[in-house]
Amino acid sequence: MKGNKATVLTFAEKCKNILASNWKGQLNTIKADAKGSKEDIYTSKVKYIIRRGKPYIWVPEKELHCVNTIIDERGSFAVANPFPGPLGALLKSIKRQPARVALTGDIVPHKDEKSAAEILRDIIVSEQKAISEFSYTVSGVLSSSDITARSENLKELLDGDEKYVVYKFNPRSCLFIDGSGSSHEVDLEDMEASKGDRLAPLSAKIIDGINKSEARRRALILFCFTYLDANAKDALMLSIDRKGFNVLGKVSSPTLKDGVGEYQWKEYRFPFKEEARDVETFCRQLVEMEEEAVKKVSSYSGLA
């Protein structure tokens, strides 16, 4: 069950998934005054969608970004892998950052804001329709989560009273930054050639649903034991993609404190037997792995 090149995503694919899974990011522009651009940076959180591989960003009219970009189009945009509910609390406690994407490039006004609004509306309707048509298995996973779906967060851009200016972000460079803080430069041609997973837009809600279900948390512990021979005391889903998923398992540390073993959170990768092209396939394979793990444990204990 160990990960290799065939069972993990490329850095470009990981970047595409992060951008597709979130709806908010950190926009940075260079502060401007009457004399032109200065080197001070103005930062704020903004909402966005991905269209043809590029971020389209909704910036409130009152934000300084709208003035800054008139003088200097250069900017950067950072988006983190969603870390909802219990996962966010754990990452904070162990001082670990979620994986993230850092883009630098030019921020240009999207001239046809009406078409941008129509694209946004289509994305929201499509996602909400998909959620309403999911099977019992998928609905069961999603119902365990109480976080707001991505489509509902984006809906505020259309239904709220705030006025926005829509910008297109044209990237000139891309970095993938993993959970340990290591940076990996990603070729923009690889980014353009890669596609985000179809399950990415709902990944945050799926992860949260799994982590808030005691039964599925116990299943993750079984995965660590049966597939990787790791005796985990607790486990949380960290990330998901079409090729598998990553789990944080609480396992014994070789370090002793006053003669007593300590615990540490260690990351494990579980590849799928076949790629999960959509949410239904992901949940089906997850359930199959749960059933298989239970059978293995039963055989070990002589109950099978």
Side-chain angles (χ1 to χ4, degrees), residues 86 140-141 143-145 206-220 234-236 290:
V141 173
S143 65
S144 298
S145 171
I206 294 170
I207 290 170
D208 193 53
I210 291 170
N211 288 338
K212 285 180 179 173
S213 166
E214 290 187 12
R216 292 218 141 82
R217 286 274 289 275
R218 287 195 297 270
L220 297 181
D234 194 3
L236 281 171
E290 291 173 353

Side-chain angles (χ1 to χ4, degrees), residues 224 231-236 248-252 263-266 268:
C224 293
N231 191 10
K233 185 179 180 181
D234 194 3
L236 281 171
L248 284 175
K250 187 177 183 181
V251 294
S252 296
Y263 283 98
Q264 64 178 347
W265 287 90
K266 188 175 180 180
Y268 297 98

Side-chain angles (χ1 to χ4, degrees), residues 212-279:
K212 285 180 179 173
S213 166
E214 290 187 12
R216 292 218 141 82
R217 286 274 289 275
R218 287 195 297 270
L220 297 181
I221 294 172
L222 282 183
F223 291 169
C224 293
F225 177 69
T226 57
Y227 295 124
L228 299 178
D229 198 26
N231 191 10
K233 185 179 180 181
D234 194 3
L236 281 171
M237 186 70 80
L238 175 64
S239 62
I240 66 174
D241 57 71
R242 70 179 186 276
K243 293 189 176 184
F245 53 91
N246 288 40
V247 169
L248 284 175
K250 187 177 183 181
V251 294
S252 296
S253 169
T255 305
L256 294 177
K257 185 176 181 181
D258 298 328
V260 180
E262 293 278 286
Y263 283 98
Q264 64 178 347
W265 287 90
K266 188 175 180 180
E267 184 175 346
Y268 297 98
R269 174 70 178 178
F270 296 89
F272 283 139
K273 293 177 181 178
E274 62 179 272
E275 290 192 2
R277 295 295 182 181
D278 52 31
V279 176

Side-chain angles (χ1 to χ4, degrees), residues 43-59:
T43 300
S44 71
K45 290 182 178 180
V46 293
K47 293 183 178 182
Y48 72 95
I49 61 171
I50 296 296
R51 175 70 171 171
R52 293 175 180 169
K54 294 183 179 180
Y56 283 75
I57 302 170
W58 269 251
V59 179

Side-chain angles (χ1 to χ4, degrees), residues 23 120 123-125 127-128 131 148-156 201-202:
W23 59 88
L120 174 60
I123 289 174
I124 293 170
V125 171
E127 188 172 303
Q128 291 178 334
I131 291 174
T148 306
R150 188 185 76 132
S151 57
E152 289 298 321
N153 284 285
L154 290 173
K155 198 174 179 183
E156 295 175 2
L202 283 171

